[in-house]
Amino acid sequence: MSKYLKFLDLGNQPLANNYLRKDQLIKKEKKYRLKVGINNESKLVSIEKPLSSKIMFNQNYPYRSSMSKTMIKSFKNLSDFIKKKFHPKKILEIGSNDGSFLKNFSKKKSIGIEPCSNVEQITKSKGYNTYSEYWNKNTAKKILKKNGKIDLIYSANTISHIQNLDEVFKSINIILKDNGIIILEDPSLLECLKRNTYDQFYNEHIYVFSLIAIENILKKHNLEVFHIQNLKIHGGSNRYFIKKKNNKIKIDLSVKLNRDKEIRYGLNNLKTYRSFAKRVQKSKKLLKKLFMKIKNKKKIIVGYGVTAKSTTVLNYCKIGKKYISYFVDTTLDKQNKYTPGTRIPIFEYKGLDNKKIDYIFLGAWNFKDEIFKKEKNFIKNGGKVIIHTPVPKII
Ligand code: TMP
């Protein structure tokens, strides 16, 4: 019988993307207990108690994939690859956000599904065919009726947000052509464990996938992975290329290599997760110590890029306004609000002034390279950077 085995407790957490307006500060926020575990049969790693999609993904969703040059470039490169390799006549994106991926394809060919109507409207306003719906069988049937079958389905950082994975793939099977391709992209569990990025877990990230778990889910739906790309995106992601079993495309070596790598690291073994949990507890202590040491010297620390991931770190490590004076972020919908749980003010990013800021804490550590390039003058002039992965340190 399959069992869910808990291995990590990240404490009481607020909704990770629920940035608070000033008038909301008088109210107590709803918190939930963030625990992580693994299914002993499917090896699927998930948070213990997922919240309802409607609470998390609605017309107030603040995330915009267009906020990072890294993402824009990655979407453009993948789109070029898709056009060259698969020549899709019709392409569907599940979780199309503000259209950063679809904009690389012609409007006639593309369909976007995005339940958060505020971001869905951005893509629609550019002339794209979008639906403000959750991905399920009803949505698949509705789209099938209006648009016919689909050649290629893409979904980045979305499937890990949907609790019912069987419904996800049943819905995909309703609409995908027999020779159609699915491309899924999500943070890699192996990289998460290796880099100690426990902040990949928050209420929206119900799952962090391994290839092992993905294969166990897919086989119930007559689907299989035929190619994998390991990406640097979001601190290490996997891009899974998936086909129907009766499609004759060859399964290439990348699949076996990735599977072997995961098995060698011990992703099949509960012991691996228990030692990860110990490293996470140690990381919490070290990060707090680092902040205390800096603050004792009366230095000013500013958060850089407020992310759902940083909500997990700050609330788990209990790092609040005492340590971080404020956050800066380029996303309009996060500005002039407060971080969930820790209630640190968030301001518009207007560059970093060495006279006013001694340290930045990288909330958006997943865009470290991009940020280091952008802030080379701040660093050259003595500005320091705090990062919590793979171990808390000052760069
Ligand atoms: P994410 O990790 O959930 O993708 O969020 C990244 C956040 O960081 C997003 O709110 C935009 C912000 N950001 C900046 O403020 N400046 C930057 O240079 C980058 C790359 C991201």
Side-chain angles (χ1 to χ4, degrees), residues 214-338:
I214 287 274
E215 289 193 310
N216 283 331
I217 299 156
L218 291 180
K219 69 182 174 205
K220 291 192 266 176
H221 301 279
N222 267 320
L223 296 166
E224 60 192 354
V225 179
F226 64 92
H227 174 62
I228 293 196
Q229 291 172 353
N230 303 124
L231 312 172
K232 277 175 103 184
I233 299 274
H234 291 311
S237 297
N238 284 336
R239 186 178 278 154
Y240 305 95
F241 291 74
I242 298 164
K243 66 177 185 68
K244 292 194 173 175
K245 268 201 175 137
N246 53 9
N247 181 333
K248 296 274 181 292
I249 298 179
K250 202 172 157 260
I251 297 177
D252 73 24
L253 193 61
S254 64
V255 181
K256 181 179 169 4
L257 292 178
N258 273 278
R259 199 186 299 121
D260 289 351
K261 200 163 60 172
E262 291 188 351
I263 292 168
R264 257 197 323 275
Y265 189 83
L267 291 193
N268 267 335
N269 194 334
L270 188 63
K271 240 171 59 190
T272 308
Y273 298 92
R274 296 224 192 278
S275 70
F276 166 62
K278 284 206 180 104
R279 290 199 304 280
V280 173
Q281 286 155 10
K282 200 168 154 196
S283 171
K284 172 182 179 170
K285 281 189 194 139
L286 282 175
L287 189 65
K288 194 74 192 258
K289 230 167 135 179
L290 197 63
F291 269 95
M292 280 173 12
K293 208 169 112 190
I294 297 170
K295 268 332 253 186
N296 280 341
K297 292 189 204 151
K298 306 258 181 297
K299 301 287 184 196
I300 299 293
I301 307 172
V302 166
Y304 194 106
V306 57
T307 62
K309 290 182 269 296
S310 59
T311 299
T312 295
V313 176
L314 299 178
N315 285 282
Y316 175 58
C317 301
K318 300 200 169 28
I319 293 167
K321 281 176 287 200
K322 194 171 145 195
Y323 300 98
I324 298 179
S325 307
Y326 57 91
F327 264 88
V328 289
D329 198 289
T330 50
T331 310
L332 200 66
D333 279 3
K334 295 182 184 177
Q335 294 162 6
N336 303 317
K337 292 189 177 158
Y338 295 81

Side-chain angles (χ1 to χ4, degrees), residues 63 67-69 202 234 304-309 328-331 334 349 364 366-367 370-371 374:
Y63 185 75
M67 281 300 122
S68 148
K69 280 190 193 147
Y202 52 91
H234 291 311
Y304 194 106
V306 57
T307 62
K309 290 182 269 296
V328 289
D329 198 289
T330 50
T331 310
K334 295 182 184 177
Y349 168 80
N366 42 320
F367 297 116
E370 183 175 338
I371 294 169
K374 198 157 128 190

